[in-house]
Amino acid sequence: MNPRNNRHTQIRLALAAAILIPAFAAAPAMAHDALESTSPAKDTTITTAPGTVSLTLSEPPMDATQLNLSVITVTDETGKTRSDGKVIVNGPTISTTITGGTNGAYKVLWRTVSSDGHPIEGNYSFTVQDPAQAITATPPATPIPAASTASSATAAAETAPEVKPNDDNAPIAGGIAAAILAVAAAIFFIAAKRRNRASGA
């Protein structure tokens, strides 16, 4: 064989190896499943608290209910967990049920095992803004205007019956006064009579 041709063949083989080896090395890393979509969608605002939260992957994840390979935790704005702790795997979609729900920001934490056996995880948020919940919130107490209070007090004072003085003892008081005057007149009369007698003597 021509040494020159042999050398060219070796060079070609080296170049092919240089191209193929990195491609084969990258293949396992590229095999990991990826999150394709969520419901509710990431960073969106919805008008009703969802009954479920679901995530769809590029491939169905490994499913082993006994080992809890898939986990989804949903918390509301106060940090209270709203997910029921159970994850349903349906093809490439994993989901969990949400109980209750109030207005505010929700955070979703998820973890599962990719179809290639590698664990994958992530998180995202969405917001609930239900107008009905805002309307049914307890309204603040309405203060009573001072003018109305004053008017009520004035009206009560005007409608109160006028208290008249008690005149039941008026005849008795008049009789006593007349008796006192009669006694005083008698005393005055007797004293005057005595003075006249004394001056005649």
Side-chain angles (χ1 to χ4, degrees):
M1 178 181 291
N2 191 335
R4 186 172 181 179
N5 291 335
N6 188 27
R7 185 177 302 171
H8 284 304
T9 302
Q10 291 177 352
I11 293 173
R12 284 203 224 43
L13 291 175
L15 290 174
I19 295 172
L20 293 176
I21 290 175
F24 283 118
M30 295 174 63
H32 292 349
D33 299 340
L35 179 63
E36 292 194 336
S37 64
T38 66
S39 178
K42 178 181 178 181
D43 298 332
T44 58
T45 298
I46 56 178
T47 57
T48 305
T52 60
V53 166
S54 61
L55 303 92
T56 300
L57 305 172
S58 56
E59 296 291 337
M62 294 184 66
D63 183 17
T65 306
Q66 298 81 358
L67 299 177
N68 294 323
L69 297 181
S70 297
V71 178
I72 303 175
T73 303
V74 183
T75 54
D76 62 15
E77 196 168 59
T78 64
K80 182 177 181 180
T81 300
R82 294 293 182 177
S83 49
D84 64 359
K86 300 177 182 178
V87 176
I88 298 173
V89 179
N90 184 13
T93 301
I94 59 176
S95 61
T96 187
T97 300
I98 304 300
T99 57
T102 57
N103 285 346
Y106 286 69
K107 187 172 184 180
V108 180
L109 300 175
W110 63 274
R111 184 179 73 252
T112 190
V113 176
S114 176
S115 57
D116 67 349
H118 289 81
I120 56 175
E121 61 183 2
N123 65 83
Y124 73 97
S125 300
F126 63 90
T127 302
V128 174
Q129 200 60 256
D130 187 350
Q133 291 189 18
I135 294 174
T136 56
T138 304
T142 303
I144 300 174
S148 299
T149 306
S151 299
S152 300
T154 303
E158 290 176 353
T159 56
E162 183 180 355
V163 180
K164 296 181 179 180
N166 190 350
D167 296 336
D168 294 343
N169 296 326
I172 298 175
I176 294 174
I180 293 173
L181 290 175
V183 172
I187 294 173
F188 179 79
F189 178 78
I190 293 172
K193 190 173 182 180
R194 286 181 179 175
R195 283 199 299 272
N196 291 334
R197 284 182 183 176
S199 59

